[in-house]
Amino acid sequence: MNVRSNQMKLGIGAVVTAVFLLTVAIPFWVSSPTNVPNIVLAPTFWPQILAAVTGVTGVGLMVFSSRRRAVTSTSGLEAEEKGAAIFRMIGLAAIMGLALLAMPRLGLVWTAMLVFAALAFLVRTRHPGIVLICAVAVPLILYGFFAHVAGVAIPQGHFVRLP
């Protein structure tokens, strides 16, 4: 497996995806009213930002892959690495399925906290303390911004309602 070649292919794929999103998908499939008072609240703003970040990331991958020496791995993934990768994929699918089931009951914020932490521990983070702090703080800060500053209703659960 040639790491340099894979990195170049990923970069090209990211740039093509970003161009498609910015020129076709977002303009034609994301509807946005013309009277949005703040550009940050427009439905097309954040998809365009994410598409631009995807494009910049793709360009970065292509630039760094062209600077990288070609290193070819002859062994590929070992059998136990393949098993661990398959386990993580199955775990990720299970986390996503459980998130879909938990969202109506727990609400978006609490489900996001649990999914964040579960995903970090699934991929064996080296910083569990920081992950747990971020798993709680990031969804709460985002909730505070969207619910109280932007005035967007965030789905609440049946058990605990945030102010």
Side-chain angles (χ1 to χ4, degrees), residues 63-120:
V63 167
F64 287 116
S65 73
S66 65
R67 297 172 125 189
R68 185 181 197 141
R69 289 187 325 223
V71 178
T72 304
S73 173
T74 56
S75 65
L77 289 176
E78 299 297 327
E80 61 187 53
E81 288 177 3
K82 284 183 181 178
I86 290 171
F87 171 75
R88 283 192 299 272
M89 289 298 290
I90 292 170
L92 180 61
I95 289 171
M96 285 190 229
L98 291 172
L100 285 173
L101 294 174
M103 192 108 31
R105 292 161 185 78
L106 298 178
L108 185 64
V109 177
W110 302 107
T111 303
M113 289 179 190
L114 293 173
V115 168
F116 193 128
L119 182 60

Side-chain angles (χ1 to χ4, degrees), residues 120-121 123-131:
F121 289 114
V123 297
R124 295 187 203 139
T125 182
R126 286 185 254 169
H127 308 286
I130 293 172
V131 164

Side-chain angles (χ1 to χ4, degrees), residues 4 12 14 37 85 93 99 107 116 118 142 144 155:
R4 180 179 174 184
I12 291 170
F116 193 128
L142 287 172

Side-chain angles (χ1 to χ4, degrees), residues 10-100:
L10 282 171
I12 291 170
V15 169
V16 168
T17 300
V19 168
F20 172 75
L21 288 172
L22 289 170
T23 59
V24 177
I26 295 170
F28 291 113
W29 295 324
V30 178
S31 60
S32 178
T34 57
N35 61 350
V36 177
N38 190 349
I39 187 69
V40 177
L41 300 177
T44 57
F45 180 74
W46 290 109
Q48 288 174 341
I49 294 295
L50 290 175
V53 168
T54 301
V56 169
T57 302
V59 169
L61 281 169
M62 291 189 306
V63 167
F64 287 116
S65 73
S66 65
R67 297 172 125 189
R68 185 181 197 141
R69 289 187 325 223
V71 178
T72 304
S73 173
T74 56
S75 65
L77 289 176
E78 299 297 327
E80 61 187 53
E81 288 177 3
K82 284 183 181 178
I86 290 171
F87 171 75
R88 283 192 299 272
M89 289 298 290
I90 292 170
L92 180 61
I95 289 171
M96 285 190 229
L98 291 172
L100 285 173

